[in-house]
Amino acid sequence: IDEADLALLSRLVYAEARAEPYVGQVAVAAVVLNRLQSPLFPDTISGVIYQPGAFSVVADGQINLEPNEEARRAAIDAMNGWDPSEGALYFYNPAIAKSRWLEQRPQTKTIGRHVFTK
Protein backbone atom coordinates (compact mmCIF):
# COMPACT_ATOMS: atom_id res chain seq x y z
CA ILE A 1 0.00 0.00 0.00
CA ASP A 2 1.42 3.35 -1.06
CA GLU A 3 1.65 5.62 2.01
CA ALA A 4 0.77 8.83 0.13
CA ASP A 5 -2.33 7.20 -1.41
CA LEU A 6 -3.33 5.81 1.98
CA ALA A 7 -2.95 9.22 3.64
CA LEU A 8 -5.03 10.95 0.97
CA LEU A 9 -7.73 8.26 0.95
CA SER A 10 -7.87 8.43 4.76
CA ARG A 11 -8.40 12.20 4.58
CA LEU A 12 -11.23 11.76 2.07
CA VAL A 13 -12.90 9.10 4.23
CA TYR A 14 -12.65 11.32 7.31
CA ALA A 15 -13.92 14.41 5.48
CA GLU A 16 -16.83 12.64 3.78
CA ALA A 17 -17.86 9.99 6.30
CA ARG A 18 -16.53 10.63 9.82
CA ALA A 19 -20.09 10.64 11.21
CA GLU A 20 -21.02 7.43 9.39
CA PRO A 21 -20.78 3.85 10.69
CA TYR A 22 -17.45 2.10 10.07
CA VAL A 23 -18.83 0.02 7.19
CA GLY A 24 -19.98 3.25 5.55
CA GLN A 25 -16.49 4.71 5.86
CA VAL A 26 -15.05 1.64 4.13
CA ALA A 27 -17.71 1.97 1.42
CA VAL A 28 -16.71 5.60 0.75
CA ALA A 29 -13.08 4.52 0.33
CA ALA A 30 -14.22 1.68 -1.94
CA VAL A 31 -16.03 4.13 -4.23
CA VAL A 32 -12.72 5.91 -4.86
CA LEU A 33 -11.01 2.60 -5.60
CA ASN A 34 -13.90 1.45 -7.83
CA ARG A 35 -13.44 4.61 -9.88
CA LEU A 36 -9.82 3.59 -10.55
CA GLN A 37 -11.18 0.55 -12.41
CA SER A 38 -13.57 2.61 -14.55
CA PRO A 39 -12.54 4.32 -17.81
CA LEU A 40 -14.84 7.21 -16.80
CA PHE A 41 -12.43 8.40 -14.09
CA PRO A 42 -8.74 9.21 -13.62
CA ASP A 43 -6.41 6.28 -12.93
CA THR A 44 -4.80 7.46 -9.70
CA ILE A 45 -6.23 7.96 -6.22
CA SER A 46 -5.23 11.62 -6.22
CA GLY A 47 -6.66 12.04 -9.72
CA VAL A 48 -10.01 10.59 -8.63
CA ILE A 49 -10.18 12.60 -5.40
CA TYR A 50 -9.10 15.90 -6.96
CA GLN A 51 -11.12 15.51 -10.17
CA PRO A 52 -12.98 18.84 -10.45
CA GLY A 53 -16.44 18.61 -8.91
CA ALA A 54 -16.03 15.01 -7.72
CA PHE A 55 -16.11 15.57 -3.96
CA SER A 56 -17.54 18.58 -2.16
CA VAL A 57 -15.02 18.18 0.67
CA VAL A 58 -12.22 19.10 -1.74
CA ALA A 59 -13.99 22.32 -2.71
CA ASP A 60 -14.81 23.31 0.89
CA GLY A 61 -11.40 22.37 2.32
CA GLN A 62 -12.48 19.54 4.62
CA ILE A 63 -10.11 17.25 2.67
CA ASN A 64 -7.33 18.96 4.67
CA LEU A 65 -8.66 17.83 8.07
CA GLU A 66 -6.44 15.36 9.92
CA PRO A 67 -8.05 11.91 9.71
CA ASN A 68 -8.53 9.74 12.77
CA GLU A 69 -7.34 6.14 13.14
CA GLU A 70 -10.79 4.79 12.21
CA ALA A 71 -10.70 6.58 8.83
CA ARG A 72 -7.21 5.18 8.23
CA ARG A 73 -8.35 1.64 9.07
CA ALA A 74 -11.34 2.06 6.75
CA ALA A 75 -9.06 3.14 3.90
CA ILE A 76 -6.77 0.15 4.54
CA ASP A 77 -9.71 -2.27 4.59
CA ALA A 78 -10.92 -0.90 1.24
CA MET A 79 -7.41 -1.04 -0.23
CA ASN A 80 -7.26 -4.68 0.88
CA GLY A 81 -10.39 -5.46 -1.13
CA TRP A 82 -13.41 -4.95 1.14
CA ASP A 83 -16.18 -3.24 -0.84
CA PRO A 84 -19.39 -2.80 1.17
CA SER A 85 -20.64 -0.42 -1.57
CA GLU A 86 -21.07 -3.41 -3.92
CA GLY A 87 -19.19 -1.79 -6.78
CA ALA A 88 -20.65 1.71 -6.47
CA LEU A 89 -19.07 4.61 -8.34
CA TYR A 90 -20.99 7.36 -6.51
CA PHE A 91 -22.51 8.10 -3.13
CA TYR A 92 -24.60 10.94 -1.77
CA ASN A 93 -26.56 11.99 1.28
CA PRO A 94 -30.14 12.54 0.07
CA ALA A 95 -30.84 14.85 3.02
CA ILE A 96 -28.33 17.42 1.75
CA ALA A 97 -27.49 16.56 -1.87
CA LYS A 98 -30.21 17.18 -4.40
CA SER A 99 -29.24 15.71 -7.75
CA ARG A 100 -31.79 14.25 -10.14
CA TRP A 101 -28.89 12.65 -12.00
CA LEU A 102 -27.64 10.82 -8.91
CA GLU A 103 -31.15 9.90 -7.79
CA GLN A 104 -31.75 8.19 -11.14
CA ARG A 105 -28.59 6.04 -10.98
CA PRO A 106 -29.01 2.36 -10.06
CA GLN A 107 -28.65 2.09 -6.28
CA THR A 108 -26.47 -0.64 -4.82
CA LYS A 109 -26.90 0.03 -1.12
CA THR A 110 -27.77 2.49 1.62
CA ILE A 111 -25.33 2.62 4.53
CA GLY A 112 -25.94 5.14 7.30
CA ARG A 113 -26.95 8.41 5.62
CA HIS A 114 -25.26 7.64 2.30
CA VAL A 115 -26.89 6.12 -0.76
CA PHE A 116 -24.44 4.28 -3.03
CA THR A 117 -25.07 4.12 -6.78
CA LYS A 118 -23.48 2.87 -10.00
Side-chain angles (χ1 to χ4, degrees):
I1 291 176
D2 178 88
E3 192 55 44
D5 284 346
L6 173 58
L8 180 57
L9 189 57
S10 300
R11 289 203 325 263
L12 180 85
V13 168
Y14 186 74
E16 285 283 2
R18 62 186 174 273
E20 295 298 310
Y22 184 74
V23 66
Q25 293 181 41
V26 177
V28 164
V31 164
V32 172
L33 301 176
N34 291 341
R35 289 182 179 189
L36 292 177
Q37 308 306 314
S38 169
L40 302 174
F41 297 95
D43 59 3
T44 64
I45 287 177
S46 63
V48 167
I49 290 173
Y50 288 113
Q51 185 175 28
F55 296 99
S56 61
V57 297
V58 171
D60 70 16
Q62 289 187 69
I63 189 73
N64 298 312
L65 295 173
E66 189 63 35
N68 60 12
E69 188 55 37
E70 185 176 51
R72 183 177 166 85
R73 276 197 331 271
I76 290 169
D77 279 346
M79 290 174 107
N80 285 331
W82 185 19
D83 181 5
S85 81
E86 298 179 7
L89 294 174
Y90 308 96
F91 65 90
Y92 67 101
N93 179 337
I96 56 175
K98 299 298 179 201
S99 167
R100 294 280 301 134
W101 185 84
L102 272 175
E103 291 166 1
Q104 293 172 344
R105 311 279 315 160
Q107 294 185 8
T108 60
K109 201 140 195 198
T110 298
I111 304 171
R113 289 177 290 245
H114 285 143
V115 175
F116 292 83
T117 68
K118 287 199 172 188

